[in-house]
Amino acid sequence: PGAGGQMRGLGGAKAAAWEPSGCGLLFILNFVSFSSGFCWANSVERKIYIPLNKTAPCVRLLNATHQIGCQSSMSGDTGVIHVVEKEQDLKWVLTDGPHPPYMVLLEGELFTRELMLQLKGSSRISGLAVAISKPSPAQGFSPGLKCPNDGFGVYSNNYGPQYAHCNWTVWNPLGNGLAYEDFNFPIFLLEDANETQVIKQCYQDHNLPQNGSVPEYPLCAMQLFAHMHAVTNTVTCMRRSSLQTAFSLNPEEVCDALSDYNVWSTLKPINTSSKIDPMDEVIIVATRIDSHSFFWNVAPGAESAVASFVTHLAAAEALHKVPDVQKLPRNIMFTFFQGETFDYIGSSRMVYDMQMDKFPIRLDNIHSFLELSQVALRNSSVLWVHTDPVSRRNESIQPQVKTLVEALINSSMGANVTLQEVSQSQPLPPSSFQRFLRAKQIPGVVLADHRTSFQNRYYQSMYDTAENILMKYPEGLSPEETLDYVTDTAKSLAEVATVVARALYQLAGGTGNTSAIQADPRMVSRMLYGFLIKTNNSWFQSIIKQDLKGLLGDELPQHYIAVTTLVNTTQLVQYVLANLTGTVVNFTKEECLNPEKTPNPEKEMYVYTWVQGSRDPNSTSRVPFCVQSTVHLTKAASPAFELKQWGSTEYSTWTESRWKDIRARIFLVASKELEIITLVVGIAILILSLLATYFINAKAHVLFSSPGDGGAVAY
């Protein structure tokens, strides 16, 4: 029953009804008024604000010592828009403009460290929107560090001190460190050229000074919401989160550790529930699958990650096609590390698990290590072989490294790849291999397209896209034709994959003819298209589970590590690897999803996946099947968080702040004078309304009485 009303008995013949009294009617009127007011308010909001839907924010990240990134105030930051197309335009927002604070719309070419530090030091700036530059800046752009992952590799005061802190080689000379600065105002990337044009048009219509005169109100303004909950450093935010978890019924954590999963598989199946024999030898092939840029989840990573892990996948497929691989004396482990951009999260966790006997393979089982670094931008087809000069002084390591290098060089004979070894006095570039060397001296090499500093001019940048690795398609191709079109980049990477696969076969003890080992350029093309241009393609659709269709979208794929959840890249690498190296088995869906119920004696050696398959040519339905593979996932979470050593200098301590609201919008803003006048008039009307209501209520018996109310009624 509502207030002032009651329900009739359910046993009556009539249907239940609500008989409202005066209060009930008032409730209805108020509800209707509220509902119509709510709808009217929504309509008004749509007329006032234009939301910007294609944006990417700069968010706050923290480590053991400090915070980086950006944030807004709790209610968002607002400012009058000013377009900066050349450095001279900065004078208006920094000194001359009469309407601070300003929201700066910055052209991508001007998004430099020097200019950003000017804006950072001004109280007249409330935020920044960056228009993505097309084409990419010719001079290059890398907001990363000149010495990536400094302090977390193998070189230190105790191991090759002359190589520590990039004293010998500056690997990323274009790195301006912008992504590692802390800004106290919000910065958003405008990803849609149409939205950028809408903002510029609004600026031109309302804010553009005419003939030297000051623009008059109303002015076009922008509001950015990106308030971050975490502050100071990881130690502080994790302590606050742990206190919330311990003492609050509804804990609100303020930050999360960057974490995901590594993907790995073996050429020959192993039982993951136990340790392999101490005498068994395993060759590890490794690459990273993550990238980063200044803006959250904008990490195309074409050269820094995708080209190398696609090459790795192609080499794994080529090896699995060799008839005698199951008889090789040594096993090969294909490893894809997540979170390497942030101080080697994935590789440091795998090393830790191996040391703690939480992984089926021990460090002592590792025969050698081969890592694919950046490999897509080769000059004159040259691929450089990097080794560790410190471990090579060890008499037992040196001949093994020499054998490894010779196997690679021999495998390149006849291929369109020229392998050259760098000077033995040069240290390793940033690589996952360094984390293994911190634990144990292991013979290994890192393959890269650079001899000294990176070839990649857009390292850890939003511009490290398919165009950066020279992927080009003819005009007029359909999506299916584009998927299967073999680009020159795909051919080049397939050649590298072929060399790697042949060398691995020899290192694993293979004695057969390696000329038949060949990576498939068409498959490389498919992977590049899927991981760089469009994940929602027919091939990716056919190799994933039906309930994972949400992985595939029409947006450009990004490869940023997540917090606590599996990112799309990890899952797609998992399914692509299973598809390329696995076997289709004749299992029903029930048997595939519950292999422990089958009599198969090798079920503990494999992983079974029920995938949705390709579409039947004669219908719209798919033909699902079961894939048997050796593909596994293992945690890529820094040991620092398991050990609760949030101030660790041994392991990565990167966390990401939590937030509640991230959005951007533009609107017209009135002058302060008009706002004050409107407020005063509104208050005056409110006071008059209250006074009128009071006097009307006080004289209601006079104003609303009928003529017959005064005396008795006679009959």
Side-chain angles (χ1 to χ4, degrees):
Q6 60 182 359
M7 283 287 193
R8 295 190 182 275
L10 295 176
K14 294 184 179 180
W18 185 25
E19 291 186 343
S21 66
C23 291
L25 285 170
L26 184 60
F27 172 81
I28 292 173
L29 290 172
N30 285 338
F31 178 77
V32 171
S33 174
F34 172 78
S35 299
S36 62
F38 180 75
C39 296
W40 179 80
N42 277 344
S43 176
V44 170
E45 182 178 6
R46 286 195 297 270
K47 290 179 179 179
I48 295 175
Y49 298 105
I50 298 177
L52 304 174
N53 299 316
K54 295 286 186 179
T55 61
C58 161
V59 303
R60 175 167 289 166
L61 300 175
L62 310 97
N63 66 9
T65 56
H66 60 287
Q67 64 185 28
I68 64 172
C70 322
Q71 79 153 354
S72 73
S73 61
M74 290 189 68
S75 57
D77 289 332
T78 304
V80 174
I81 296 171
H82 190 77
V83 176
V84 175
E85 296 179 327
K86 52 187 182 297
E87 287 196 38
Q88 291 83 343
D89 296 337
L90 280 179
K91 188 179 179 185
W92 182 268
V93 297
L94 294 177
T95 56
D96 296 351
H99 305 122
Y102 284 96
M103 278 283 177
V104 176
L105 173 54
L106 190 68
E107 292 296 332
E109 297 85 357
L110 298 177
F111 188 49
T112 63
R113 180 182 178 86
E114 294 74 25
L115 188 143
M116 289 300 298
L117 292 182
Q118 286 186 60
L119 298 179
K120 182 180 179 180
S122 173
S123 60
R124 292 168 55 90
I125 304 299
S126 61
L128 192 72
V130 180
I132 195 164
S133 179
K134 291 185 179 180
S136 303
Q139 70 275 18
F141 175 74
S142 174
L145 299 171
K146 293 184 183 295
C147 189
N149 292 354
D150 186 24
F152 290 86
V154 68
Y155 302 114
S156 65
N157 292 334
N158 301 320
Y159 189 99
Q162 68 272 34
Y163 306 124
H165 313 301
C166 295
N167 287 333
W168 193 275
T169 305
V170 177
W171 296 108
N172 185 31
L174 291 177
N176 58 30
L178 194 58
Y180 294 84
E181 288 287 333
D182 184 38
F183 295 92
N184 59 359
F185 52 77
I187 304 176
F188 278 52
L189 176 68
L190 301 175
E191 299 180 281
D192 187 347
N194 293 328
E195 288 188 345
T196 304
Q197 189 55 43
V198 168
I199 301 171
K200 288 184 176 181
Q201 190 62 50
C202 186
Y203 164 78
Q204 290 168 3
D205 292 344
H206 299 279
N207 299 8
L208 189 64
Q210 298 292 338
N211 301 320
S213 62
V214 175
E216 297 180 358
Y217 287 97
L219 297 173
C220 191
M222 181 184 293
Q223 189 172 28
L224 302 178
F225 297 85
H227 180 66
M228 301 288 126
H229 294 177
V231 294
T232 310
N233 53 41
T234 289
V235 177
T236 302
C237 81
M238 290 302 292
R239 184 177 67 244
R240 290 177 179 175
S241 293
S242 62
L243 288 173
Q244 283 274 346
T245 304
F247 298 108
S248 176
L249 293 176
N250 297 304
E252 290 190 9
E253 298 183 10
V254 295
C255 67
D256 299 284
L258 294 180
S259 62
D260 196 63
Y261 286 83
N262 298 322
V263 183
W264 66 278
S265 73
T266 51
L267 189 64
K268 296 188 288 185
I270 62 174
N271 190 340
T272 57
S273 61
S274 61
K275 304 291 181 294
I276 68 171
D277 190 283
M279 300 304 294
D280 288 348
E281 293 183 321
V282 178
I283 301 167
I284 292 184
V285 195
T287 191
R288 66 175 59 188
I289 58 174
D290 69 297
S291 188
H292 178 44
S293 80
F294 185 88
F295 299 98
W296 182 76
N297 203 31
V298 178
E303 158 75 341
S304 61
V306 176
S308 56
F309 74 68
V310 163
T311 304
H312 188 170
L313 288 163
E317 181 196 29
L319 266 175
H320 272 268
K321 290 179 178 178
V322 180
D324 64 340
V325 288
Q326 297 301 317
K327 300 176 183 177
L328 293 176
R330 300 185 185 98
N331 206 343
I332 299 173
M333 176 178 164
F334 305 101
T335 314
F336 301 81
F337 291 121
Q338 182 63 274
E340 296 301 273
T341 303
F342 295 96
D343 299 337
Y344 306 117
I345 293 174
S347 55
S348 63
R349 179 53 184 260
M350 183 170 283
V351 171
Y352 174 80
D353 286 344
M354 287 179 173
Q355 290 173 318
M356 297 293 108
D357 280 340
K358 296 180 179 179
F359 197 77
I361 297 170
R362 303 175 180 87
L363 285 171
D364 290 338
N365 292 119
I366 300 175
H367 169 268
S368 53
F369 198 104
L370 191 157
E371 180 169 354
L372 288 164
S373 185
Q374 303 177 80
V375 295
L377 298 176
R378 291 180 287 138
N379 275 336
S380 304
S381 299
V382 175
L383 196 64
W384 295 95
V385 183
H386 297 259
T387 58
D388 172 41
V390 179
S391 60
R392 291 191 74 166
R393 296 172 194 156
N394 186 315
E395 293 181 358
S396 63
I397 297 294
Q398 166 62 14
Q400 296 180 68
V401 173
K402 188 176 179 181
T403 301
L404 186 53
V405 173
E406 288 175 352
L408 285 163
I409 292 174
N410 292 337
S411 298
S412 67
M413 300 297 181
N416 191 24
V417 180
T418 303
L419 265 76
Q420 293 186 21
E421 188 178 2
V422 301
S423 168
Q424 292 188 23
S425 62
Q426 181 174 294
L428 287 168
S431 52
S432 306
F433 180 40
Q434 292 199 32
R435 290 302 302 193
F436 284 79
L437 283 175
R438 279 177 77 124
K440 185 178 186 292
Q441 288 201 342
I442 299 168
V445 300
V446 176
L447 300 182
D449 56 20
H450 54 90
R451 183 174 66 87
T452 53
S453 58
F454 295 163
Q455 293 279 90
N456 187 2
R457 293 178 298 132
Y458 306 107
Y459 183 74
Q460 289 187 5
S461 162
M462 55 196 170
Y463 300 115
D464 190 8
T465 60
E467 289 77 16
N468 185 34
I469 59 172
L470 310 178
M471 283 178 60
K472 297 178 181 178
Y473 296 94
E475 293 184 3
L477 295 182
S478 68
E480 285 301 308
E481 290 170 336
T482 309
L483 174 66
D484 286 324
Y485 181 81
V486 180
T487 62
D488 290 340
T489 302
K491 294 175 185 176
S492 174
L493 294 179
E495 290 166 353
V496 176
T498 297
V499 171
V500 170
R502 290 175 180 176
L504 289 171
Y505 177 76
Q506 293 178 24
L507 291 167
T511 56
N513 185 2
T514 60
S515 61
I517 302 176
Q518 187 74 44
D520 183 0
R522 178 171 167 270
M523 192 58 68
V524 173
S525 279
R526 285 186 158 200
M527 289 189 281
L528 289 174
Y529 179 81
F531 286 112
L532 286 176
I533 296 174
K534 188 177 180 181
T535 55
N536 192 16
N537 61 72
S538 60
W539 184 51
F540 275 12
Q541 290 168 8
S542 69
I543 64 174
I544 64 170
K545 294 179 179 179
Q546 187 174 8
D547 58 351
L548 293 178
K549 288 185 289 186
L551 286 178
L552 309 179
D554 294 325
E555 303 289 332
L556 287 175
Q558 307 298 338
H559 308 290
Y560 174 69
I561 186 175
V563 289
T564 69
T565 57
L566 270 168
V567 297
N568 292 3
T569 304
T570 302
Q571 295 184 76
L572 289 174
V573 167
Q574 176 190 7
Y575 286 106
V576 170
L577 183 59
N579 179 268
L580 297 182
T581 63
T583 307
V584 177
V585 291
N586 189 23
F587 279 16
T588 65
K589 183 177 181 179
E590 178 67 21
E591 291 172 333
C592 194
L593 296 177
N594 301 283
E596 67 277 359
K597 296 180 180 179
T598 64
N600 182 4
E602 293 186 332
K603 58 181 178 289
E604 292 185 357
M605 311 287 282
Y606 295 99
V607 175
Y608 296 88
T609 311
W610 186 258
V611 299
Q612 61 179 359
S614 303
R615 292 190 185 277
D616 190 324
N618 301 319
S619 70
T620 58
S621 61
R622 294 185 177 274
V623 184
F625 55 91
C626 185
V627 176
Q628 172 187 275
S629 72
T630 61
V631 179
H632 304 275
L633 297 177
T634 185
K635 276 187 178 180
S638 172
F641 298 99
E642 182 162 313
L643 300 169
K644 295 192 175 181
Q645 296 175 358
W646 304 321
S648 173
T649 56
E650 172 70 16
Y651 299 111
S652 171
T653 55
W654 284 105
T655 53
E656 182 185 271
S657 174
R658 289 195 178 187
W659 61 81
K660 284 188 177 177
D661 191 19
I662 287 184
R663 56 195 170 97
R665 59 189 184 182
I666 63 173
F667 58 96
L668 294 181
V669 63
S671 66
K672 292 292 181 185
E673 293 79 6
L674 181 58
E675 288 178 347
I676 292 171
I677 291 170
T678 304
L679 177 63
V680 170
V681 171
I683 292 172
I685 292 173
L686 174 63
I687 293 171
L688 287 174
S689 300
L690 292 173
L691 289 172
T693 303
Y694 172 77
F695 284 115
I696 290 171
N697 187 57
K699 301 296 183 180
H701 64 285
V702 175
L703 296 172
F704 302 111
S705 61
S706 62
D709 288 346
V713 179
Y715 294 94

